[in-house]
Amino acid sequence: MARNSRDLDEDDVRLRANPRGTRPRSKQRPAHEDASEGLVTTVDRGRYTVLVDGVEVNAMRARELGRRGIAVGDRVQVVGDRTGAVDALARIVRIAERETVLRRTADDADPLERVIVANADQLVIVCALADPEPSYGLIDRCLVAALTEGIEPVLCLTKADLAPADDVIAHYSALDVPAVVTQRGGSIEALRSLLPGHESVFVGHSGVGKSTLINQLVPSAERATGSVSAVGKGRHTSSSAIALPLPDGDGWVVDTPGVRSFGLAHVTADDLLWAFPDLEDGATQCPPGCEHQSAEAGCRLDDWVAEGHATPDRLAAFRRLLASHTTGDAR
Ligand code: ZN
């Protein structure tokens, strides 16, 4: 029944918004009314593990989702076989709107964004105080990624038995980032106390002790992150993240593979400025397109600080983070 546009009146237009035309909207719902809510815990080449009521369900995406990406941490609705049986396969039919997206690019010239995790509200940046030496570059980059997304960063400084934490803590004092310090064989209660009620994603170079921390926080993690899980499904590759429920059921930790680079091609100077409300108003005096790097380049933020609206430490910290992704490499 072909029609052309001049035959349409308002009622027709309203009907056309419904893809099945004559079917009332209420009749479309029953198809998924028995859907269950779950959380995506692993992603592996088009197969997803979704935790539904405590059961690990193997799922694929429903065709109706189109090309929308699904990431670890996504809250989804699934239909189909949710028994968790070895050969059972459910379908993900809906993805809830994400509250946050932690993303990176392979390097700073790479336009392709990779979503590391959805819906995290806390980023635990794990950094050794020695062996390997602290990587200020990686910390800065992780801070930028978190702050520009509204994710609360936490510094977790490990191996305090090898070197003191004072210098690293002082380096970030202007940013008010909470810091916890651990040593090998020591207590991790300070870290553990920050986690209940949060979805915390852990990032760090390999060798900093991140896996050790995760295994202490979630004793079942070692089994869950094995190359093939005990029931022979939900194979997890080391190239992607995995979400693990905290043992007391209140919150999640997301372990990420050892990060070699953390590209920030998608972040602009103004994105970062958003995380510095004390500086943001001052930037309204800057020339259009200001990169906020220096007064010599026309930036007015130095005047803003001189007028007493923000401290020099804050401006210095902002510019240092800004420089972390406009200079140097992504490591
Ligand atoms: Zn400026």
Side-chain angles (χ1 to χ4, degrees):
M1 189 170 65
R3 292 175 165 196
N4 62 39
S5 58
R6 69 174 182 270
D7 294 320
L8 294 171
D9 63 23
E10 271 187 11
D11 286 341
D12 290 325
V13 171
R14 189 159 45 76
L15 275 176
R16 280 168 60 90
N18 179 336
R20 296 218 168 88
T22 56
R23 266 184 163 188
R25 182 168 276 273
S26 60
K27 287 249 176 80
Q28 285 189 25
R29 290 186 182 269
H32 298 321
E33 80 176 352
D34 67 336
S36 304
E37 297 201 357
L39 184 131
V40 176
T41 59
T42 71
V43 173
D44 184 12
R45 283 165 293 181
R47 289 296 171 95
Y48 307 88
T49 310
V50 184
L51 198 68
V52 179
D53 297 329
V55 177
E56 282 191 348
V57 173
N58 199 16
M60 57 181 286
R61 68 168 57 242
R63 200 178 303 146
E64 65 207 66
L65 290 179
R67 299 190 62 180
R68 271 189 76 187
I70 300 174
V72 168
D74 264 325
R75 298 184 189 100
V76 297
Q77 297 205 342
V78 294
V79 299
D81 192 331
R82 284 153 276 173
T83 58
V86 173
D87 55 352
L89 189 61
R91 283 178 311 156
I92 297 172
V93 293
R94 280 194 214 102
I95 309 166
E97 195 179 334
R98 292 168 176 168
E99 288 166 25
T100 65
V101 183
L102 182 66
R103 63 189 103 210
R104 69 183 179 99
T105 55
D107 59 55
D108 288 343
D110 180 4
L112 185 64
E113 291 180 12
R114 294 143 216 265
V115 174
I116 300 172
V117 60
N119 297 317
D121 62 351
Q122 196 159 250
L123 175 63
V124 180
I125 304 163
V126 185
C127 176
L129 292 161
D131 188 28
E133 292 297 304
S135 170
Y136 288 106
L138 183 69
I139 296 175
D140 286 352
R141 286 168 169 277
C142 290
L143 288 171
V144 171
L147 293 170
T148 54
E149 273 295 326
I151 299 171
E152 295 289 336
V154 173
L155 269 181
C156 179
L157 304 172
T158 62
K159 305 190 187 181
D161 47 312
L162 296 180
D166 309 10
D167 286 354
V168 180
I169 290 174
H171 193 76
Y172 292 101
S173 61
L175 292 172
D176 281 331
V177 177
V180 293
V181 180
T182 66
Q183 52 187 327
R184 290 172 298 175
S187 165
I188 59 161
E189 288 315 304
L191 174 62
R192 199 192 300 274
S193 71
L194 295 174
L195 305 180
H198 293 286
E199 303 196 1
S200 308
V201 53
F202 282 59
V203 174
H205 278 308
S206 58
V208 297
K210 178 168 60 68
S211 299
T212 306
L213 290 174
I214 296 283
N215 282 328
Q216 284 178 271
L217 295 165
V218 189
S220 60
E222 208 145 21
R223 177 178 58 78
T225 55
S227 57
V228 178
S229 76
V231 287
K233 65 178 175 58
R235 187 171 41 148
H236 177 63
T237 64
S238 60
S239 61
S240 69
I242 180 168
L244 303 158
L246 287 170
D248 61 6
D250 183 20
W252 294 77
V253 295
V254 178
D255 191 16
T256 60
V259 173
R260 281 184 214 86
S261 66
F262 209 102
L264 296 168
H266 56 291
V267 174
T268 67
D270 285 339
D271 289 337
L272 183 60
L273 195 57
W274 173 78
F276 288 78
D278 49 337
L279 298 174
E280 201 174 17
D281 285 350
T284 59
Q285 306 300 316
C286 288
C290 182
E291 291 291 320
H292 310 304
Q293 300 281 14
S294 68
E296 293 73 39
C299 183
R300 301 294 305 276
L301 288 174
D302 301 82
D303 295 339
W304 183 253
V305 167
E307 290 160 16
H309 301 293
T311 66
D313 284 0
R314 290 280 291 172
L315 179 55
F318 167 69
R319 285 194 171 138
R320 204 179 56 234
L321 291 188
L322 199 55
S324 76
H325 89 285
T326 52
T327 61
D329 65 15
R331 281 145 222 270

